[in-house]
Amino acid sequence: MDGTNDDRIRRLDDWDTDGLTALAEEFETPLYVIDLERVSENCNRLRDAFPEAEVRYAVKAHTGRSVLETVRRAGLDAECASAGEVERALAAGFRGDSLHYTAVNPPARDLDAVVSAWDDHPDITVTVGAADTLDRLDERGFDGRVCLRVNPGIGAGHHEKVRTGGHAKFGVPLSRAPETAIDAARRFDLVGLHAHAGSGISGADLADHRELVGRMGELARTVAEELSVEGLPGLEYVDVGGGFGVPYREEEPPLDLNAVAAATRDALGTVPGRDGDAARLAIEPGRYVVADAGVLLTRVNTVKPTPDTTIVGVDAGMTDLIRPALYDAYHPIANLSANLSQEAIPATVAGPICESADVFCDNRPLTRPERGDVLAVGIAGAYGYEMASQYNSRPRPAEVAVDGSDLSDSRPVRHRETVEDLTRVERPIEPLEDHE
Ligand code: LLP
């Protein structure tokens, strides 16, 4: 993993400080900033490294309309984890043949909605991770394209909570996969096999990735053989999932996508496909597309020296960006308002939520923060806004889109919620009847 220039990710230093500060003034904080040009670049980097593959954007990383449209224009497909994501991808212009719905223990309501979308878009593919999901599709009259998700017995990723292979709820166990695949092919149009090891895979995980892809290649050859014996159509693709990591810390080397692509190709080998073609490789990255295209801006409200650290209270919290609280995830943080002559102090940047997990960093050097300063939390484009909540009755933040390094041309793409947005779904209780 040598990290050529192309592998460089966009760090906080690469953003225009004055431009970000001006956005914080204009749109107030907390504020997400998303650079759509960078999103396109990331799509292109993936397509360049995997020219032979179908590249599907895992929509869950950032489902904003502006991002979905940008990704669609860049030529990627969409991988959706729920009926809601399918609906939003369709609204952003993805066509049925570029839509892949990954059904994880799917609620009946989701299956109903996707089967109804399939009526209008018969090329949608449903990826199924349990044999009984096939029955549930059958019961609804679905007889379209399905893909079988397999648990390859290998998990990887930046935290145990984001490992989806091995001891996890996802996919059909590898040992049961051939029989389930053949059953699926007899009842539906089985177009692919799928596995996803986890999220945030680094260069150090390359051996695990190679092992997973190798197991999928073996399985696909076994299934292809049985399909051919039964005279059933062959596989169109083998999807080896997403999970390509992004180096959040300065010292982490960037992922060498070309090395990952070469290892993937090598480990997969050739899988006989449909109509005399080889089955294609498919990948479905989310984080890699959006992580370094986003920044969260927040303003300092309180600076409080304590015996252990200086608490820097900011107006963003775990409701806006939950990754540090949930996974102890590291995000770079810089004080955009700092005067360079000021020294750095050990600071604990904390939000306004009544939970002690509401901390973005603990005792980390930060150029001396003062009340009113604007801080930038970097690499916040993936799983940032998407995982935001309204806990403590906090409306979700606004988001503004920019194109490239010139931040003067910005467009609001999500308005800041109001408390009214939160209470719109509520109804006052009826007056209690008098029971005497
Ligand atoms: N495909 C499937 C089936 C997935 O479950 C996921 C992510 C992806 C693709 C995309 O993975 P990515 O390329 O983004 O790593 N909230 C966590 C990440 C959870 C990922 C869940 N599945 C985080 O903030 O780190």
Side-chain angles (χ1 to χ4, degrees), residues 84-421:
E85 288 187 0
V86 170
E87 193 174 328
R88 290 172 78 180
L90 283 168
F94 284 95
R95 294 194 327 235
D97 61 359
S98 56
L99 272 181
H100 307 264
Y101 163 54
T102 309
V104 177
N105 180 23
R109 192 180 293 114
D110 278 41
L111 283 184
D112 290 342
V114 171
V115 171
S116 144
W118 163 76
D119 274 336
D120 296 326
H121 306 276
D123 295 332
I124 288 183
T125 304
V126 181
T127 298
V128 167
D132 64 5
T133 306
L134 295 170
D135 302 331
R136 298 173 69 204
L137 285 169
D138 223 356
E139 286 157 16
R140 289 168 169 78
F142 177 88
D143 66 355
R145 295 162 59 86
V146 298
C147 166
L148 183 68
R149 181 170 186 174
V150 176
N151 182 342
I154 294 176
H158 69 82
H159 190 273
E160 69 174 292
K161 288 186 181 156
V162 300
R163 288 180 201 136
T164 48
H167 180 68
K169 67 179 179 178
F170 305 94
V172 170
L174 194 57
S175 57
R176 308 289 298 272
E179 63 184 278
T180 314
I182 299 304
D183 177 44
R186 288 185 187 135
R187 299 160 67 190
F188 306 92
D189 183 11
L190 177 75
V191 292
L193 298 177
H194 171 288
H196 173 73
S199 191
I201 297 171
S202 69
D205 299 312
L206 198 57
D208 283 341
H209 174 73
R210 188 189 277 274
E211 177 64 27
L212 174 142
V213 178
R215 288 185 190 183
M216 289 305 288
E218 280 301 300
L219 170 69
R221 277 181 286 278
T222 305
V223 170
E225 172 75 41
E226 291 186 34
L227 291 174
S228 135
V229 169
E230 296 221 9
L232 292 162
L235 299 169
E236 288 181 5
Y237 62 81
V238 180
D239 185 333
V240 298
F244 303 131
V246 162
Y248 287 81
R249 292 174 194 266
E250 288 281 345
E251 64 274 19
E252 279 174 77
L255 192 63
D256 179 346
L257 267 192
N258 291 323
V260 177
T264 306
R265 253 173 236 131
D266 185 52
L268 186 65
T270 305
V271 176
R274 193 168 278 204
D275 303 328
D277 293 333
R280 294 184 73 189
L281 168 69
I283 54 169
E284 46 187 45
R287 185 188 312 273
Y288 201 89
V289 174
V290 280
D292 71 343
V295 174
L296 173 63
L297 301 179
T298 182
R299 208 176 271 281
V300 176
N301 295 320
T302 299
V303 178
K304 179 168 56 177
T306 72
D308 312 320
T309 182
T310 297
I311 305 286
V312 178
V314 295
D315 61 4
M318 61 189 282
T319 47
D320 307 296
L321 178 68
I322 200 174
R323 301 191 70 255
L326 194 56
Y327 314 118
D328 285 328
Y330 179 97
H331 282 266
I333 300 177
N335 184 355
L336 302 182
S337 314
N339 174 340
L340 288 180
S341 60
Q342 289 167 314
E343 73 201 279
I345 55 158
T348 295
V349 177
I353 320 294
C354 57
E355 297 266 345
S356 37
D358 185 29
V359 167
F360 288 117
C361 71
D362 196 15
N363 248 327
R364 195 188 300 165
L366 186 71
T367 314
R368 190 175 285 280
E370 288 174 6
R371 203 149 21 104
D373 284 357
V374 176
L375 307 190
V377 182
I379 319 183
Y383 305 107
Y385 191 99
E386 284 321 303
M387 297 180 80
S389 75
Q390 298 149 322
Y391 180 44
N392 277 195
S393 287
R394 280 174 50 88
R396 287 179 298 177
E399 184 178 44
V400 61
V402 296
D403 281 305
S405 48
D406 177 7
L407 305 188
S408 60
D409 192 11
S410 59
R411 288 162 283 159
V413 286
R414 292 205 241 221
H415 75 80
R416 181 177 308 287
E417 280 182 334
T418 60
V419 174
E420 228 182 5
D421 288 322

